[in-house]
Amino acid sequence: MADGERMYINGEWVLADGGATFDVTNPADGTVVAKVANGAGPEIQRAVTAAHASFSAWSQMVPKDRGRILLKIQALMEERRDELARLVTLENGKPFEEARKEVQFSLGYFGWFAEEARRVSGEWIPSPQPGKRYWVFRQPIGPVAAVTPWNFPATMVTRKIAPALAAGCSVVLKPASATPLTALAIARITEVAGLPPGVFNVLTTNRSRLVGAQLLTHPLIRKIGFTGSTEVGKGIMQAAAKQVTRLSFELGGNAPFIVFDDADFQPALEGAVAMKFLRVGGQSCICANRIYVQRGIAGRFVPAFIEAVKRLKVAPGFEPGAQIGPLINEETRAKVHSLVEDAVKHGAKLVTGGQYLNGDSYAKGFFYAPAVLVDVTDDMAIAQEEIFGPAAPILVFDTEEEVIRRANATTYGLAAYFYTRDLTRLVRVAEQLEYGLVGANDATGYTHEIPFGGFKESGLGREGGHEGIAEYTEVKSVVVNLS
Ligand code: NAP
Ligand code: MG
């Protein structure tokens, strides 16, 4: 490993020209886990060239055979699940048990899309005039550039590459510079599974501007799949406008979590704690960001929520029983803390947590005591911005109409949750929330079989479901003249 972890281009494991590397660190203790090849212009060109060259044969392979390779990848990932999970915890920091669940979930995208590949069918349409037929079908869109974030180092990768590969596209993946090791391990598995060289390339780099300038705007790249912040997404959208490159975006969120007076108490309580704190310690785009509690249940719910949060175990990810690991870096921790401080300054009350954790096993990591704030109002930054960390703002409401209006008053629209035992209210609220994913008495998030994506500034397009593979295709209409 002296020369660093290599990236995967055209079926070969290569260093960057000149040998540049960047460090991947463990957010739990600051140690350098690996030095990784730091790609630049020449590697970007080679990766795109490889994806372009391999596209033709891969796209023409029959879907069932592409599916066989994807199923092999799925099986190998499952065999190596704990090994992959170890990498996830090392580079991302999340508790090992959570990392295992992530890897197990992530590999399911290969199974789902291996099957979906066989169902990309078209239509034969009767003509309004005699002597003509219309034939409509989908073709793979072409070489794809995929850019992924650090919070789910396995899932964010498979949720994009599985549908792209299934559709017949080749891929250049640029994983987050904080978490490239899981992506490289997945690449190794695709190699063992027999994916042809060049069909999947992993370009590791921490020079994200270069990626924007040279990979995403490359004329041979036909589609960009991006998951990350809304801010970076907007920049990519502008750059892509130059050649109208197709886009799929999974961006930021500001999820409301609504507890009505008639909610089933225990599931609502457990759902709120889990969706706020137990997905990468709150660093997930679908995490509860604003917890709205109806006045009639607040007196019981809020104290129970605070007690539950006090019992959460914050610890390095490999420590048995760890429930919340470190934040990914100091910048993220400082951002969460500044939102907490700002809320307090504007009249919110911090009832537990909300400090840096420093002693003993915390000393060298980015640990933060899970915070609960009450008396929060909608105009505070903590209710308006994506928190992306272990801080829970609690807001009280009176009526259904009021909470729907308040829940929708954001530029984001990714995920929302609500708990009620009134079936008619369940239907009304689910229909009125302006969000791509709505959990009605449920806080477990999406699954492979359903489309996932955001309304408004939370994204474009969908991942998963039938829609997930369609995103990597173009529709072609053929006019057949029989006369
Ligand atoms: P980010 O800063 O937008 O980075 C995401 C990816 O884009 C990383 O690979 C990053 O590289 C790269 N990148 C950064 N600047 C770029 C640029 N100018 N041009 C091209 N690529 C660039 O997001 P993050 O901070 O890693 O992740 C947190 C955000 O992602 C949150 O807003 C969260 O809500 C969102 N997210 C959304 C979903 C979803 O499904 N909707 C899922 C997960 C996360 P580097 O790693 O080198 O910076
Ligand atoms: Mg960032």
Side-chain angles (χ1 to χ4, degrees):
M1 217 195 65
D3 55 359
E5 294 285 333
R6 292 161 184 246
M7 56 190 140
Y8 187 56
I9 296 177
N10 203 20
E12 287 174 8
W13 294 91
V14 296
L15 298 168
D17 287 5
T21 61
F22 63 95
D23 290 347
V24 175
T25 54
N26 180 344
D29 59 18
T31 53
V32 175
V33 178
K35 292 192 172 299
V36 178
N38 200 0
E43 293 78 35
I44 293 175
Q45 293 304 323
R46 274 174 228 144
V48 174
T49 304
H52 176 66
S54 66
F55 173 71
S56 167
W58 179 248
S59 62
Q60 286 169 46
M61 184 185 283
V62 297
K64 192 172 177 182
D65 289 342
R66 286 201 299 267
R68 270 192 239 278
I69 296 177
L70 299 195
L71 291 173
K72 186 91 188 283
I73 297 171
Q74 174 177 249
L76 286 170
M77 280 186 73
E78 190 151 25
E79 253 175 45
R80 301 183 188 179
R81 185 190 59 195
D82 287 5
E83 205 181 302
L84 289 163
R86 218 185 122 261
L87 287 177
V88 169
T89 296
L90 265 182
E91 61 183 358
N92 166 281
K94 71 178 66 177
F96 183 60
E97 275 315 306
E98 194 187 331
R100 289 175 64 173
K101 285 190 195 131
E102 183 196 335
V103 174
Q104 185 64 39
F105 179 74
S106 74
L107 60 90
Y109 278 108
F110 286 104
W112 171 252
F113 285 113
E115 295 165 8
E116 283 298 286
R118 300 169 66 181
R119 300 186 191 112
V120 181
S121 44
E123 282 185 292
W124 186 259
I125 295 172
S127 166
Q129 309 120 25
K132 283 193 180 177
R133 299 291 186 275
Y134 297 96
W135 166 30
V136 179
F137 65 108
R138 289 180 179 274
Q139 289 182 311
I141 199 164
V144 169
V147 178
T148 52
W150 46 264
N151 58 350
F152 292 86
T155 305
M156 296 301 103
V157 168
T158 63
R159 211 171 70 186
K160 287 194 198 316
I161 69 170
L165 297 175
C169 297
S170 51
V171 179
V172 178
L173 169 72
K174 204 297 286 178
S177 52
T179 60
L181 302 177
T182 308
L184 291 171
I186 293 172
R188 227 159 267 133
I189 286 172
T190 66
E191 184 184 23
V192 175
L195 192 71
V199 172
F200 178 45
N201 307 276
V202 180
L203 177 91
T204 53
T205 179
N206 69 357
R207 298 161 175 164
S208 51
R209 283 190 193 286
L210 210 58
V211 170
Q214 297 196 23
L215 172 64
L216 303 184
T217 53
H218 199 293
L220 294 177
I221 291 295
R222 292 297 163 76
K223 165 96 191 187
I224 297 168
F226 172 77
T227 297
S229 59
T230 295
E231 185 195 347
V232 172
K234 286 179 180 177
I236 291 174
M237 201 168 185
Q238 276 179 338
K242 211 166 52 180
Q243 46 222 340
V244 198
T245 312
R246 306 292 186 265
L247 300 170
S248 286
F249 280 172
E250 298 290 348
L251 307 176
N254 178 1
F257 190 108
I258 304 166
V259 182
F260 286 100
D261 283 345
D262 65 356
D264 199 353
F265 190 85
Q266 204 55 29
L269 179 64
E270 286 167 16
V273 172
M275 214 13 117
K276 176 64 251 184
F277 293 102
L278 303 180
R279 284 178 73 87
V280 216
Q283 300 169 105
S284 160
C285 53
I286 64 167
C287 272
N289 211 62
R290 294 168 286 159
I291 300 176
Y292 287 104
V293 185
Q294 200 164 13
R295 199 170 303 277
I297 200 175
R300 222 178 123 211
F301 186 88
V302 178
F305 182 79
I306 295 165
E307 283 316 303
V309 173
K310 284 182 178 165
R311 286 194 297 270
L312 294 174
K313 180 170 175 180
V314 182
F318 289 113
E319 203 171 299
Q323 290 175 290
I324 300 182
L327 293 170
I328 190 70
N329 53 33
E330 182 49 35
E331 186 193 344
T332 303
R333 180 165 67 166
K335 160 94 192 291
V336 173
H337 192 54
S338 76
L339 287 172
V340 169
E341 286 188 315
D342 175 84
V344 170
K345 201 174 90 195
H346 288 93
K349 213 163 98 209
L350 179 64
V351 286
T352 183
Q355 309 96 31
Y356 280 33
L357 291 170
N358 291 314
D360 305 328
S361 56
Y362 299 137
K364 290 184 175 148
F366 309 111
F367 294 93
Y368 194 73
V372 179
L373 292 142
V374 296
D375 299 338
V376 175
T377 53
D378 291 343
D379 55 349
M380 294 178 186
I382 200 164
Q384 303 223 340
E385 294 178 27
E386 183 176 43
I387 302 166
F388 233 58
I394 297 187
L395 306 93
V396 173
F397 71 95
D398 289 296
T399 70
E400 183 185 314
E401 295 76 10
E402 172 202 339
V403 78
I404 287 171
R405 180 176 42 74
R406 291 171 66 185
N408 286 339
T410 167
T411 55
Y412 292 109
L414 193 58
Y417 312 89
F418 68 98
Y419 281 71
T420 180
R421 277 187 290 199
D422 177 337
L423 184 58
T424 56
R425 168 184 281 155
L426 185 146
V427 174
R428 273 195 310 271
V429 175
E431 288 180 353
Q432 290 180 80
L433 286 169
E434 297 168 348
Y435 290 84
L437 175 72
V438 175
N441 297 327
D442 189 85
T444 52
Y446 54 88
T447 187
H448 314 107
E449 291 81 356
I450 62 171
F452 169 69
F455 285 18
K456 302 195 239 172
E457 292 187 18
S458 285
L460 269 184
R462 294 294 182 267
E463 293 188 326
H466 307 305
E467 290 82 351
I469 195 163
E471 297 278 328
Y472 293 96
T473 64
E474 285 279 24
V475 175
K476 183 177 280 180
S477 295
V478 179
V479 181
V480 185
N481 194 333
L482 303 175
S483 61

